[in-house]
Amino acid sequence: MANATVNAGTYAGEAARPYVAAAILSADSIANNYVSVLENVHAKAVLRKFSGAAIESATCEFTTPSAGQLALGEAILEASALQVNEQVCNKDLRATWESAQMRGQSSNAPADFTSFAAQYVAAKVAENVEINLWGGNYDPTDGAVAAGSGVELLGTSFDGICHHIVDATPGYEKTAAGAFTADADGTTGILTKLDDIVANAPSVVQADPGTVLYMSRKSLFLLQRAMAGIGIFQANGSDTTGFAGVGYSPEFVGAARPTTFLGFPVVAPAGMANDTIIMCNPNQLYFGTDLLTDHIQASVLDLAGVTGDDVTRVIMKFSGGTQIVDAGSIAVSRRSS
């Protein structure tokens, strides 16, 4: 097979959308609608939040209610200007591309090397967007939201959802020292954490049919392991009571993960921070970007004919940011140290 030829190209606005969209919209939380997405944000977006709406006995005159009136508030989503400057070795990437091409149509590999290089970088960018969406400027080990000695921020590209929740005053917040554990320990147990947040979340969160429990995939593993160790009783007549304690079946442990807890769906986004549980409706969590504007840009540059280096540079420019709408409609349980 002949060596691949890289056709350099610079795309802006709508022409850049296929490249930049692949980098942003393929992030796990965005692709699966775990959060609400605004794709037309110019630097800032105003998120409106409504509360209250009183019902009173009918009258012939228009009178405003004496209590519980409709109130309009707002939250500002600020999108940070972001850029991707990546350089890949053509020799290494070409071998991967040619190998995929040899597998035929089933490989789903693009027909030209330029698209493959952009696709490769876009996948890496999507991973970064996903991590920052939840853990941008947030340290899950102690709840820190700013860089400092001993602070391990998950991402630094923009403030993530967990950062905003810490900065705000959630409807319910429970913090405790120690990493989550796969048991019902009174302080760190994942079962204790979940039972507490479900029992103490604001009534508006408990009653919302769209409420979801967000946790990391590690926390979901801890939940599955903890549930596998819970004793349940079944009749077998092997003891004096006629019942024997057993754990959940091996099929449950190996074949499926818990998808609900006490009736609430459990969601484990790829970028969700460990030792943190969020309970709310996805319409309280927003990610904003300028994908539908003319300000995005994508470039694929082959330097072989310019500097002699056998490398391809992929450049993308876009914006991204997160915000929560109403902190009072969110419950959180997180690690404090």
Side-chain angles (χ1 to χ4, degrees):
M1 180 179 290
N3 289 339
T5 299
V6 181
N7 298 313
T10 297
Y11 313 91
E14 186 174 353
R17 199 164 297 152
Y19 298 97
V20 181
I24 299 175
L25 301 184
S26 58
D28 183 53
S29 295
I30 298 173
N32 290 292
N33 299 313
Y34 295 154
V35 298
S36 301
V37 180
L38 297 176
E39 300 180 9
N40 193 24
V41 177
H42 291 266
K44 294 182 180 181
V46 178
L47 307 178
R48 299 293 183 183
K49 52 184 178 182
F50 294 87
S51 62
I55 299 178
E56 296 184 330
S57 300
T59 63
C60 294
E61 298 178 353
F62 179 83
T63 57
T64 58
S66 57
Q69 302 95 329
L70 177 67
L72 174 62
E74 64 179 35
I76 306 299
L77 188 158
E78 296 189 23
S80 301
L82 305 171
Q83 66 179 22
V84 176
N85 292 330
E86 292 292 344
Q87 179 172 288
V88 293
C89 175
N90 289 342
K91 176 178 178 295
D92 297 337
L93 195 59
R94 187 183 296 118
T96 303
W97 177 70
E98 291 176 348
S99 176
Q101 288 291 312
M102 290 179 182
R103 292 198 297 269
Q105 295 181 350
S106 62
S107 68
N108 293 321
D112 65 281
F113 187 73
T114 301
S115 296
F116 183 75
Q119 185 183 86
Y120 176 85
V121 173
K124 299 300 180 183
V125 173
E127 294 176 8
N128 186 272
V129 169
E130 173 69 16
I131 291 172
N132 280 276
L133 190 156
W134 294 99
N137 294 318
Y138 174 72
D139 184 347
T141 65
D142 59 8
V145 292
S149 177
V151 176
E152 299 179 5
L153 301 175
L154 293 182
T156 57
S157 297
F158 52 86
D159 294 341
I161 289 171
C162 292
H163 174 107
H164 291 298
I165 291 177
V166 172
D167 276 351
T169 304
Y172 177 73
E173 182 174 27
K174 180 66 174 292
T175 61
F180 289 7
T181 54
D183 50 40
D185 179 89
T187 302
T188 61
I190 185 68
L191 295 174
T192 302
K193 302 286 188 182
L194 285 167
D195 187 69
D196 175 78
I197 194 172
V198 169
N200 294 289
S203 58
V204 66
V205 177
Q206 295 173 333
D208 189 338
T211 291
V212 171
L213 286 164
Y214 294 94
M215 66 181 68
S216 72
R217 294 183 178 179
K218 178 183 177 181
S219 294
L220 183 58
F221 151 74
L222 295 176
L223 174 60
Q224 184 178 18
R225 188 174 179 182
M227 293 180 72
I230 294 176
I232 58 176
F233 290 88
Q234 62 183 21
N236 69 351
S238 63
D239 60 13
T240 57
T241 64
F243 296 89
V246 297
Y248 279 98
S249 69
E251 180 180 1
F252 167 79
V253 177
R257 292 174 172 173
T259 56
T260 64
F261 185 85
L262 297 180
F264 293 97
V266 173
V267 171
M272 181 62 184
N274 290 331
D275 303 322
T276 304
I277 300 172
I278 299 172
M279 184 178 180
C280 69
N281 189 307
N283 63 21
Q284 297 294 335
L285 313 177
Y286 270 83
F287 172 79
T289 181
D290 58 354
L291 186 60
L292 297 184
T293 73
D294 293 329
H295 302 298
I296 58 175
Q297 178 183 333
S299 299
V300 182
L301 308 174
D302 179 18
L303 299 188
V306 181
T307 64
D309 296 319
D310 191 22
V311 297
T312 295
R313 289 180 177 174
V314 180
I315 302 167
M316 296 182 185
K317 295 184 182 297
F318 58 95
S319 69
T322 64
Q323 186 56 276
I324 58 175
V325 180
D326 178 21
S329 298
I330 298 174
V332 61
S333 177
R334 61 181 178 85
R335 180 179 175 182
S336 60
S337 62

